[in-house]
Amino acid sequence: MIRFVDVSFSYGERKVFEGINLEIKKGEWVALVGANGSGKSTLVKLLNAILIPTEGHVLIDGLDTRDEGALWEIRRRVGVVFQNPDTQIVASIVEDDIAFGPENLGLDPTEIRQRVDKVLEVLDLVPFRSSPTYALSGGQKQKLAIAGALAMKPEYLVLDEPTSMLDPPSRREINRILNYLYSKGDLTIIYSTHNPEEIVLARRVIALVNGKIAFDGTPLEFFSNPDMVWEFGIRLPIITHLCYRLRKRGLALTFPVFDPEELIDELWRLKSGM
Ligand code: ADP
């Protein structure tokens, strides 16, 4: 479990968090949302001890990020993928880049090889294993960053707007892979995003406004309140927006709906007068 206990954080004079309390349990998929400057990246950096709270404690499975002796174990448990894939690559060849983390853990070469093989397969990067990292596309680089994090066998995978620099097909591919990883049941995902379709993938939405938790609930509860969603600077998912517009025109549709099939079912229900 991840726990924020009375966490305050400031960059010098700039106070970002004041007395935040938060628990994220194993197995959750949390979408972290909020306007630019609301504190999402700072929260992510507090999670893996890149930043240390000014006051209070961040506990990762009971390990305090203030405890320097726990730093390696915290960074192994919390894998972080940032927005810009170029800043996360450390080696010039794909498989060496993935092996970098496990090598630093001091694992034996057979174990490292097995982990590299496994994540190359999961991320569909096998054909690129010996490729130079500079030759990869943005989407492939971001998959490489995820592969590197997964090779550490993390408990928590934290993604800070990982698809915001990617084209729609790469974005879908990343999300397909995350869905697959989550469906296997042993990963907790914390996904910072502005994208409504990505928010819907989560089981829980936490919205930050000026460093305060302004909403904490399910995606269904979140999108049930479009005015609030817009205030957070987030769009409705396209199908949800269509449903919203049709309701405005007087159709008695259930709201919100996320899935095109669901909307079609709803329209059939109305048409047949059920
Ligand atoms: P988000 O990820 O939601 O855009 P951030 O966590 O990056 O928000 O930023 C939260 C606040 O902290 C913003 O007001 C931002 O300007 C400020 N901030 C972020 N990084 C720094 C820094 N290194 N030094 C000073 N202020 C910072």
Side-chain angles (χ1 to χ4, degrees), residues 11-12 14-17 34-43 45 160-161 192 194 208:
Y11 294 100
R14 173 76 176 90
K15 189 172 272 185
V16 182
F17 295 121
N36 285 334
S38 60
K40 303 181 300 297
S41 292
T42 305
L43 193 145
K45 288 175 187 154
D160 191 3
E161 299 188 37
S192 161
H194 291 288
L208 294 178

Side-chain angles (χ1 to χ4, degrees), residues 11-80:
Y11 294 100
E13 296 284 286
R14 173 76 176 90
K15 189 172 272 185
V16 182
F17 295 121
E18 197 172 354
I20 275 211
N21 287 288
L22 175 66
E23 282 188 2
I24 297 174
K25 296 192 181 65
K26 284 221 168 124
E28 289 199 87
W29 181 330
V30 175
L32 186 61
V33 308
N36 285 334
S38 60
K40 303 181 300 297
S41 292
T42 305
L43 193 145
V44 164
K45 288 175 187 154
L46 286 165
L47 280 175
N48 87 334
I50 294 175
L51 297 175
I52 304 298
T54 322
E55 283 172 53
H57 298 271
V58 175
L59 302 167
I60 310 296
D61 300 333
L63 300 170
D64 194 325
T65 58
R66 286 180 183 284
D67 176 4
E68 281 186 26
L71 212 60
W72 271 100
E73 184 53 19
I74 287 171
R75 299 229 167 114
R76 188 201 64 76
R77 281 172 189 263
V78 183
V80 182

Side-chain angles (χ1 to χ4, degrees), residues 161-180:
E161 299 188 37
T163 62
S164 61
M165 295 172 78
L166 306 184
D167 57 16
S170 305
R171 188 181 272 259
R172 279 195 291 276
E173 170 78 350
I174 298 277
N175 291 326
R176 181 190 66 74
I177 289 165
L178 291 176
N179 249 328
Y180 167 76

Side-chain angles (χ1 to χ4, degrees), residues 79-101:
V80 182
V81 175
F82 291 101
Q83 184 174 28
N84 185 346
D86 283 317
T87 59
Q88 302 171 77
I89 292 173
V90 290
S92 55
I93 299 294
V94 166
E95 61 184 342
D96 297 345
D97 193 73
I98 298 172
F100 181 80

Side-chain angles (χ1 to χ4, degrees), residues 110-129:
T110 320
E111 169 74 15
I112 295 174
R113 166 120 336 241
Q114 281 169 357
R115 288 192 184 193
V116 170
D117 288 350
K118 179 83 195 345
V119 298
L120 280 168
E121 202 180 300
V122 171
L123 276 298
D124 283 334
L125 288 173
V126 175
F128 303 101
R129 81 177 302 145

